[in-house]
Amino acid sequence: MRAATESASRRALLSLCSALLATPTPSPAAAAAAAAAARGLQTFDIAASDLDRRSFRGMQLSNGLRVLLCSDPEAGKAAASMNVAVGSMSNPVEWPGLAHFCEHMLFLGTKRFPGEGEFERFIAANAGSNNAFTGSEETNYFFSVNGDALPGALTRFADFFTAPLFSESGTTREVDAIDAEHAKNLQSDFWRSDAVLRLRARPDHPYSRFFTGNRQTLRGGDADARAALFAFHRAFYRAPQMALAVAGPQSLDALQRLVQANFGALPPGPAPPASAAYDALPPPFDTQPQAEPPVATVLVPVREQRSVTVTWCLPVEDPDEWWRAKPDSTVAKGLASSVDGSIDEFTRSFVVLTAYIGLTPQGLQRWPEVVSALFSYLALLREEGVPPHVYAEERRMRELAFAFAEPAPPSSFVQSASGNLFLFPPREWLRGPLLAGEGAEPLVRSILEGLTPQAAVVKLTARELAPLATRVEPVYSASYGEMPIGREVAAWSAAPRLDGLADERFGRPKAFAFVSLRTPQLYESAAAAAQAELYAALLSDALQDVTYQAARAGLSAGASVGWQGLSLSLSGYDQRLPELAALVADSLRTFDVAPLAFERQRDGLLRQLRGADKRQPVEQAAYRRNLALETPRYTNEQLAAGLEKATLPQVLGLQRRLLPEVEVEALLCGNVAEGQATQLVLKLLNALGSRPLPVARRPVRRVRVLPAGERTLQQFVAASQAEVNSATEVYFQVGGDEADDWVLLTLLSQLMSKAPYGHGTEPLDSGSGGLSFLVQSKVAAPEAVEERIEAFLRLFRGTLLLLGEAEVQSYAASIAAQFTDAGRLWAECTRRRYDFERPWRSAEKVKRLTREQLIAFFDRHVASGSPTRRQLSTHVYAQSMAPPQLRVQLPGDDFYPAPRDLLLALKALFRACRAYGLGEQFNTAAQDEGTFAEWLDELPIEVAAATARLLKHHARSPAHVPEPSDCSD
């Protein structure tokens, strides 16, 4: 097997150096189709925001294909997405998972480009990405590339839909990928819960069936499976049932020519919509009271959790009216104000709406009362109706969101847009999905009339319900059962209504603030960290109430805790963010903590921590790596032990004593003036009333340095006996963001973007990073997987040697934009460098990287046998694969140095310069980076010594910084 793998890899290396960047010449058939498409072409004007810099054009080709073009000359990237109006509900009864299988197979070769990896190699060579997904009623394919590579990418992409090969070898092999994807989901509570819910659906409705497929349902990819793929593709992949969105820096006319040349050959109609086969069926779940006694489904989860979900299925009489007025959004938001409400499925004929409520042990015992409160709230909405101003406010907020929306990246834009081309007339393709039209009121009333106890599907999830779970779901082997709830349904129907409160406080336009309140108080011990997590959960609940009126005006606030302290986020359309910041800061020490709320949040966090060892093995491997490398970092067991001992008085005491000393740092972005930013921070500081945190007490998380030239190994066994997958992570430590290492790491990762193993760059919180290969398999043991990763790395060095400089530059130029996103600015703050031009310098630096630099970096940090490679291998075994003895090697206590605090150093340097009469020279030299560096080289040694004394003094007492002459050595 290894010889075959190496041979295939060598062929891949050679093909990678072929003329991948060439744009294929359209075939004569394609040219004829383009001419025909031009003859029957229709074009449409598109309504866009006045502030949108992009230009748009709508089209329908003669074959019926809908097309949205987006020209953005400022975009360095191009992207396209094809949405096909067929999904898993159109799987033939005898072929569960066929739609998903077809989605996979389209990537594995076409008549003009028969190589199985041809498309993905082209995309990777042009710094792009690609993927696809299969939904209930749609399948979406999408890619992004460098702007100048769009013609070649579109030519290859179009052949997916006109001439796929569905080769025998690919069909047989890709079943393994489908089966591996299914195996990954076997222990997922999400998939198990979904499967159990579908058992309640009408057996004659396709919604009740298994969607994703596995080796058994797809019959191993045999000849019959291949024939079924061809038949499915012929039946449903027709232009009238397809919609294409294309975005790029080219002009609209150039984009139009590309689309006509490549997609005019798509087979035309007539073809009935795929949904015609089931649209006339009754909804999958009963929407009216039934003669049979009502029952609730009980489910035993893999991970510890307790919840009750109430699901309704509502018929959609006029889907066009629903999409235009969006009544489901109003109802879902109404539910979300009291419970977690979501729309699980939205089709042309029905919608599935679910209310989720987490339960404590006491809540599980009294779950009928919990559900009764939900139905009382719904009764209130039905009786009093939704106030008219709510509809007007919803429409107004959507109008503002559309008017001031930032242009999305091309990849996100096309993926979202392509799915909307079936739902709205061409002029409304952009604004239709965002705006809410008139006419929602009667639809909302109709929805509320359907949210009754009699029409509800109730599901209880808890391990305590195991005695009632006497059945086994056939696909995921989930334990479930049923229990009668006739008396409960009768009581819910007679439940008294609740009364509500309305208020108006905040006005309405757009900024974002992220605030870090650094303190060691919240991570001094595992018990302190556990109490802090509990406090943050209670605070988040309280902020929902405190900021409710602000949220209605488009403002939002959030809070979280971590090893550095407390983080706040504020955003919205209003210029009243300073007022919101003060309100949130004041709430930190004053919000009420009810005993029941304490128990509910404590129970929820405990369940999360106790269930962490049931997560997928790949997640456990990454968790184990971070535990081995970072300190302080507490284990899930330590945090759970701290939570078990946590009491309400302890949390109340933490709240009263919160942040006695704090270091405040804020980043504000958007439509905010300097004065407003200053006002926000001042209001925050005044509300906190905390003392400055000494530098010596600033939270620090250190990263262990792995031994050079060695492989550090740690092995673990998955806690769940039912887990069939094992995971392998091979992590190569690179270190801090110094010199060119991180830009080289980013470029190397991009070059590996289509490696046969999942990988990525892994930055740690403290500014260290590395390259990670992460694989999950139910077939190969971790030792075998690691051997294959090493074999790939040996072959990949050959790939680097064969790369031309032009190809390196192409990859490098394509990733330059990654260095200039807004997150990089906040990283400059968190790493205390405050070098806000650094991201742009890094972007320019990556463009100048050479193949020799890349190979030297690879040899130093990644290559097999390198004396400087630092490797951590983490194995998480399925119990059936575990070796008799496990090895756990821990790295020593050699740590990377903490990031330097540039701002503090500059403050001290300025004071020292001023003391020696050089203050004005400092200000003048600091205006230019090059001049400043030369000026620093000429500073007297006395200034440097005074700066060092100031830094030492500041570490002891930041509240008072004396002049250099007052500081002793």
Side-chain angles (χ1 to χ4, degrees):
M1 179 181 293
R2 180 180 300 176
T5 301
E6 292 181 355
S7 176
S9 298
R10 289 190 184 97
R11 289 196 301 271
L13 294 178
L14 292 173
S15 62
L16 189 63
C17 299
S18 65
L20 290 175
L21 300 180
T23 301
T25 303
S27 64
R39 288 194 295 272
L41 177 71
Q42 300 179 61
T43 60
F44 312 100
D45 292 331
I46 305 295
S49 167
D50 292 339
L51 300 180
D52 200 324
R53 68 170 186 265
R54 302 168 296 179
S55 53
F56 303 92
R57 179 179 299 168
M59 300 193 305
Q60 182 165 311
L61 304 189
S62 61
N63 56 12
L65 178 69
R66 298 168 175 85
V67 183
L68 174 63
L69 305 177
C70 170
S71 173
D72 184 0
E74 297 182 21
K77 289 279 191 177
S81 172
M82 180 72 85
N83 191 277
V84 187
V86 63
S88 294
M89 284 208 297
S90 296
N91 286 332
V93 175
E94 66 276 17
W95 290 103
L98 188 64
H100 184 210
F101 192 26
C102 183
E103 170 225 304
H104 276 239
M105 288 300 302
L106 291 195
F107 287 90
L108 298 185
T110 64
K111 287 185 179 178
R112 272 202 292 171
F113 305 100
E116 289 190 5
E118 163 69 18
F119 178 75
E120 294 189 336
R121 283 195 296 272
F122 181 87
I123 297 297
N126 289 281
S129 62
N130 59 270
N131 213 328
F133 66 84
T134 303
S136 296
E137 288 195 316
E138 65 176 343
T139 306
N140 194 288
Y141 304 82
F142 49 95
F143 71 83
S144 68
V145 288
N146 288 337
D148 58 1
L150 180 62
L154 280 178
T155 300
R156 291 163 171 82
F157 190 55
D159 275 18
F160 281 22
F161 312 105
T162 57
L165 283 183
F166 297 136
S167 66
E168 293 182 19
S169 60
T171 304
T172 304
R173 187 165 51 257
E174 198 61 20
V175 165
D176 292 336
I178 296 284
D179 197 59
E181 192 174 326
H182 172 66
K184 173 179 66 69
N185 298 332
L186 287 175
Q187 295 299 302
S188 163
D189 282 319
F190 169 83
W191 289 100
R192 294 160 74 95
S193 177
D194 180 72
V196 168
L197 176 65
R198 291 177 190 271
L199 293 174
R200 294 284 299 270
R202 298 174 184 272
D204 62 337
H205 198 287
Y207 190 76
S208 67
R209 301 171 194 155
F210 174 44
F211 276 6
T212 57
N214 57 25
R215 179 186 297 280
Q216 181 180 358
T217 67
L218 297 171
R219 306 179 195 178
D222 62 11
D224 289 340
R226 186 167 179 250
L229 284 169
F230 276 115
F232 186 87
H233 192 273
R234 280 195 303 270
F236 298 115
Y237 280 64
R238 293 184 170 272
Q241 305 306 318
M242 304 169 76
L244 175 69
V246 181
Q250 293 85 354
S251 69
L252 288 175
D253 289 342
L255 292 174
Q256 178 174 324
R257 288 192 293 270
L258 286 172
V259 168
Q260 289 176 287
N262 289 295
F263 294 91
L266 286 176
S275 64
Y278 52 80
D279 279 344
L281 294 175
F285 299 98
D286 293 326
T287 58
Q288 299 296 327
Q290 300 298 307
E292 297 83 1
V295 296
T297 297
V298 297
L299 172 66
V300 178
V302 174
R303 295 171 59 186
E304 187 173 345
Q305 58 176 289
R306 300 179 198 89
S307 66
V308 58
T309 59
V310 185
T311 300
W312 299 270
C313 183
L314 306 171
V316 177
E317 303 294 341
D318 185 345
D320 294 333
E321 190 176 18
W322 274 61
W323 292 323
R324 181 180 55 79
K326 301 176 178 60
D328 48 297
S329 175
T330 301
V331 173
K333 287 182 178 178
L335 286 176
S337 64
S338 55
V339 298
D340 185 2
S342 64
I343 298 169
D344 294 343
E345 193 72 67
F346 195 157
T347 75
R348 294 189 62 87
S349 55
F350 66 90
V351 61
V352 177
L353 181 67
T354 294
Y356 171 92
I357 306 172
L359 300 172
T360 63
Q362 184 181 8
L364 180 63
Q365 294 174 4
R366 301 173 61 181
W367 72 268
E369 298 174 53
V370 175
V371 177
S372 180
L374 171 64
F375 283 115
S376 294
Y377 175 68
L378 291 173
L380 170 67
L381 290 179
R382 274 194 299 273
E383 291 177 23
E384 295 196 352
V386 177
H389 72 84
V390 172
Y391 297 104
E393 188 177 71
E394 173 77 0
R395 288 193 293 270
R396 178 57 179 154
M397 293 307 299
R398 285 178 170 271
E399 289 169 1
L400 286 171
F402 177 70
F404 297 106
E406 294 289 335
S411 56
S412 302
F413 170 76
V414 296
Q415 187 181 341
S416 173
S418 63
N420 292 321
L421 306 192
F422 296 110
L423 311 183
F424 300 94
R427 181 168 176 78
E428 305 300 317
W429 280 349
L430 289 182
R431 67 184 182 185
L434 294 178
L435 302 185
E438 301 283 348
E441 292 88 337
L443 294 173
V444 168
R445 285 196 297 270
S446 175
I447 293 173
L448 292 174
E449 290 298 326
L451 302 185
T452 64
Q454 293 82 6
V457 178
V458 179
K459 178 164 60 67
L460 282 160
T461 302
R463 288 184 174 179
E464 293 91 329
L465 301 173
L468 299 175
T470 57
R471 307 180 188 180
V472 177
E473 188 275 328
V475 177
Y476 295 88
S477 300
S479 298
Y480 78 101
E482 292 181 346
M483 65 179 182
I485 55 170
R487 285 185 299 178
E488 287 81 1
V489 169
W492 297 335
S493 301
R497 65 167 223 179
L498 299 176
D499 290 321
L501 173 66
D503 185 28
E504 297 293 339
R505 180 175 174 187
F506 284 83
R508 279 175 176 69
K510 185 171 176 182
F512 170 83
F514 188 86
V515 183
S516 178
L517 306 175
R518 297 193 182 99
T519 174
Q521 179 189 17
L522 305 182
Y523 211 75
E524 288 179 321
S525 65
Q531 291 178 28
E533 288 286 353
L534 186 50
Y535 165 81
L538 292 164
L539 174 61
S540 295
D541 264 5
L543 286 180
Q544 286 189 5
D545 296 331
V546 171
T547 63
Y548 173 71
Q549 296 301 324
R552 292 177 61 187
L555 293 162
S556 65
S560 62
V561 296
W563 66 271
Q564 292 197 75
L566 184 66
S567 297
L568 305 176
S569 60
L570 311 166
S571 64
Y573 289 97
D574 208 318
Q575 293 182 354
R576 297 174 70 180
L577 278 184
E579 182 179 345
L580 179 63
L583 178 66
V584 171
D586 184 64
S587 301
L588 297 179
R589 298 193 187 98
T590 61
F591 73 88
D592 292 330
V593 181
L596 285 178
F598 170 84
E599 289 298 333
R600 175 170 56 84
Q601 293 292 355
R602 178 175 173 273
D603 177 71
L605 289 171
L606 273 173
R607 283 187 278 116
Q608 289 180 28
L609 290 168
R610 289 169 177 164
D613 61 358
K614 304 295 191 303
R615 291 175 180 164
Q616 290 194 16
V618 286
E619 296 179 62
Q620 296 181 45
Y623 159 73
R624 293 291 183 180
R625 175 241 301 154
N626 289 338
L627 276 180
L629 293 180
E630 295 181 320
T631 184
R633 181 183 278 275
Y634 303 112
T635 66
N636 292 323
E637 292 78 13
Q638 290 173 317
L639 294 172
L643 269 179
E644 288 170 349
K645 297 176 183 178
T647 64
L648 179 57
Q650 286 177 328
V651 174
L652 291 174
L654 170 64
Q655 184 186 26
R656 288 192 302 271
R657 300 188 304 274
L658 187 70
L659 305 177
E661 298 175 329
V662 69
E663 180 181 75
V664 180
E665 189 152 32
L667 175 68
L668 282 82
C669 303
N671 187 27
V672 57
E674 182 178 350
Q676 291 174 308
T678 303
Q679 183 187 16
L680 185 148
V681 175
L682 289 176
K683 280 183 175 288
L684 190 64
L685 291 172
N686 291 335
L688 289 172
S690 305
R691 300 186 303 274
L693 179 73
V695 174
R697 284 181 46 76
R698 181 185 295 159
V700 175
R701 172 173 276 176
R702 299 186 294 172
V703 178
R704 292 183 172 88
V705 180
L706 293 169
E710 297 181 20
R711 168 180 175 258
T712 303
L713 174 65
Q714 50 178 2
Q715 298 176 318
F716 307 91
V717 178
S720 174
Q721 191 171 4
E723 180 59 70
V724 298
N725 295 292
S726 296
T728 307
E729 185 190 54
V730 180
Y731 175 79
F732 300 110
Q733 191 175 54
V734 172
D737 185 5
E738 303 294 339
D740 294 335
D741 275 357
W742 275 29
V743 291
L744 285 162
L745 175 62
T746 305
L747 178 57
L748 180 65
S749 179
Q750 179 66 30
L751 285 164
M752 291 180 171
S753 59
K754 290 305 172 187
Y757 308 103
H759 75 285
T761 56
E762 291 292 340
L764 300 178
D765 289 342
S766 51
S768 173
L771 183 69
S772 170
F773 289 83
L774 194 55
V775 180
Q776 184 164 290
S777 173
K778 72 172 185 178
V779 178
E783 293 86 352
V785 171
E786 190 167 343
E787 287 179 9
R788 294 181 186 182
I789 292 173
E790 289 289 355
F792 164 76
L793 292 176
R794 287 192 292 271
L795 289 171
F796 187 77
R797 193 181 189 282
T799 301
L800 295 178
L801 290 171
L802 291 172
L803 280 177
E805 286 294 347
E807 196 168 359
V808 173
Q809 291 303 311
S810 174
Y811 275 94
S814 68
I815 65 172
Q818 297 180 23
F819 291 92
T820 57
D821 58 37
R824 301 277 177 167
L825 298 180
W826 181 242
E828 290 301 308
C829 298
T830 58
R831 293 173 188 160
R832 308 194 66 80
R833 289 187 305 223
Y834 308 99
D835 183 1
F836 295 113
E837 293 183 359
R838 181 187 179 94
W840 282 265
R841 289 201 310 275
S842 296
E844 290 303 313
K845 184 182 294 184
V846 75
K847 295 177 184 178
R848 296 192 296 270
L849 295 178
T850 65
R851 183 184 63 181
E852 284 67 29
Q853 288 176 288
L854 196 61
I855 294 173
F857 175 85
F858 180 88
D859 288 344
R860 189 164 63 250
H861 293 292
V862 183
S864 298
S866 168
T868 55
R869 184 172 82 168
R870 304 178 188 273
Q871 176 183 346
L872 175 63
S873 296
T874 305
H875 299 170
V876 179
Y877 293 89
Q879 293 188 12
S880 60
M881 283 189 180
Q885 284 195 326
L886 300 175
R887 294 175 59 190
V888 180
Q889 299 171 302
L890 296 178
D893 284 337
D894 184 16
F895 297 97
Y896 285 104
R900 291 169 292 180
D901 189 336
L902 182 61
L903 182 62
L904 180 59
L906 286 174
K907 285 181 177 178
L909 176 60
F910 174 72
R911 287 183 174 273
C913 288
R914 190 176 61 184
Y916 284 87
L918 300 175
E920 289 300 322
Q921 293 184 30
F922 178 99
N923 289 330
T924 301
Q927 301 302 311
D928 178 79
E929 182 181 348
T931 303
F932 192 57
E934 294 175 3
W935 183 76
L936 288 177
D937 288 339
E938 299 174 359
L939 277 179
I941 190 64
E942 294 84 2
V943 177
T947 302
R949 292 197 298 272
L950 281 169
L951 288 171
K952 288 175 62 176
H953 185 89
H954 195 284
R956 295 192 297 267
S957 176
H960 169 65
V961 180
E963 293 304 316
S965 58
D966 297 330
C967 298
S968 64
D969 289 330

